[in-house]
Structures are given as structure tokens and as C-alpha cells.
Amino acid sequence: GYILKPDYLSQVTSLLDTYSSTDYLGYKIPIHLDGARLFNAATGLNINISQLVENIDSVNICLSKGLGCPIGSILTGSKEFINSAKRY
């Protein structure tokens, strides 16, 4: 895979903020990051994970891939988003 740098992520979120505002679509498009290898990306870029997710609305962190812990995943986001998430 390819590591997306924070500057690129910032450009994408800025573009979405501009064109998914209530003026254009009537709603905001939330940005989700599949963080299966988030820890690997942060290590590869030598930055803190918070820099990679600062403009992201929700993140799924898979503990078994990047960390080698066969225990599942963590879903992060706003309180409203987490309250609306369903467990399957």
C-alpha cells in the first residue's frame, strides 16, 4: 500500500468541506478512515497518529493487523456517531 501524508488528507478534507456543505448538497459528507494499518503509517511517516486523523470524522482501528493483537477493532468518532453505531 501507499501511505497518504497529512497534507494530502488535509487537501481532501478541505475539498469535501467545500463541496459537501449545506450550500451545495444540503448535508456534509463524513470522512471515514479505515485505519487497518494506521500505526504502521504513523511509524513510517515518523509522526503522531493524531496528525493523520485530525480532520477525519470516524476511524476504524484494526488491532490484529497493525499491532498483531488478535482481539478485534476499535471504532472512534464523535459521541453522536458512536451512539448511532450498531454492533453485529
Side-chain angles (χ1 to χ4, degrees), residues 31-43:
I31 302 170
H32 177 77
L33 174 67
D34 177 2
R37 305 228 187 273
L38 183 61
F39 291 92
N40 301 68
T43 300

Side-chain angles (χ1 to χ4, degrees), residues 1-2 7 10 12 14-15 25 36 45 60 62 65 68 70 78 87:
Y2 183 77
D7 291 341
S10 180
V12 170
S14 177
L15 183 68
L25 296 176
L45 293 171
N60 180 56
C62 180
K65 289 184 182 174
S78 69
R87 181 178 176 174

Side-chain angles (χ1 to χ4, degrees), residues 12-78:
V12 170
T13 57
S14 177
L15 183 68
L16 279 173
D17 285 345
T18 299
Y19 291 103
S20 73
S21 69
T22 55
D23 296 337
Y24 289 94
L25 296 176
Y27 59 90
K28 181 187 180 311
I29 297 173
I31 302 170
H32 177 77
L33 174 67
D34 177 2
R37 305 228 187 273
L38 183 61
F39 291 92
N40 301 68
T43 300
L45 293 171
N46 197 31
I47 61 173
N48 193 300
I49 291 171
S50 64
Q51 291 176 270
L52 290 172
V53 300
E54 67 183 343
N55 296 314
I56 306 297
D57 297 303
S58 62
V59 180
N60 180 56
I61 300 171
C62 180
L63 299 173
S64 61
K65 289 184 182 174
L67 299 176
C69 303
I71 57 173
S73 298
I74 297 171
L75 181 64
T76 67
S78 69

